[in-house]
Amino acid sequence: QVQLVESGGGLVQPGGSLRLSCVHSGSIFSIYDMGWYRQTPGKQRELVAGITRGGSTRYAGSVEGRFTISRDNAKNTVYLEMNSLKSEDTAVYYCRATRSAMDYWGKGTLVTVSS
């Protein structure tokens, strides 16, 4: 059974940085496309950034140039480096792993951007 465990969330001031990590276990990490999503109360979960098993990346327009997604297949981990954080980045951030019909989610980590 695949498990995804996020970490690295917390409280940060506007303009600050955080790095989120998502550790994958229970299967072969390198075969999955990975993504970071976020959700705020009353809104749908949205894609923040994705990285394919081949290393191609894509970003939501609102985070382009500020966030960087990366993966380390040796560590079964996907990262989200977040810089120049804004109050509107406040959300629960979720990790997702997909391959064909397989679709797994972590439980999320809360990021709060506030002074």
Side-chain angles (χ1 to χ4, degrees), residues 48-80:
V48 176
I51 185 165
T52 68
R53 54 189 179 273
S56 297
T57 59
R58 57 176 174 148
Y59 297 92
S62 60
V63 307
E64 186 88 47
R66 299 188 297 122
F67 290 11
T68 302
I69 189 170
S70 61
R71 66 189 298 160
D72 186 337
N73 289 341
K75 295 183 178 180
N76 294 342
T77 303
V78 61
Y79 303 98
L80 184 68

Side-chain angles (χ1 to χ4, degrees), residues 6-82:
E6 303 97 334
S7 63
L11 174 64
V12 62
Q13 291 187 342
S17 298
L18 279 176
R19 186 174 82 154
L20 305 183
S21 300
C22 171
V23 178
H24 175 288
S25 63
S27 185
I28 302 172
F29 174 69
S30 61
I31 69 173
Y32 290 88
D33 296 331
M34 301 298 298
W36 285 98
Y37 291 71
R38 66 187 181 188
Q39 188 170 25
T40 55
K43 292 189 177 181
Q44 286 192 333
R45 197 170 293 186
E46 63 174 0
L47 174 69
V48 176
I51 185 165
T52 68
R53 54 189 179 273
S56 297
T57 59
R58 57 176 174 148
Y59 297 92
S62 60
V63 307
E64 186 88 47
R66 299 188 297 122
F67 290 11
T68 302
I69 189 170
S70 61
R71 66 189 298 160
D72 186 337
N73 289 341
K75 295 183 178 180
N76 294 342
T77 303
V78 61
Y79 303 98
L80 184 68
E81 186 76 36
M82 306 186 294

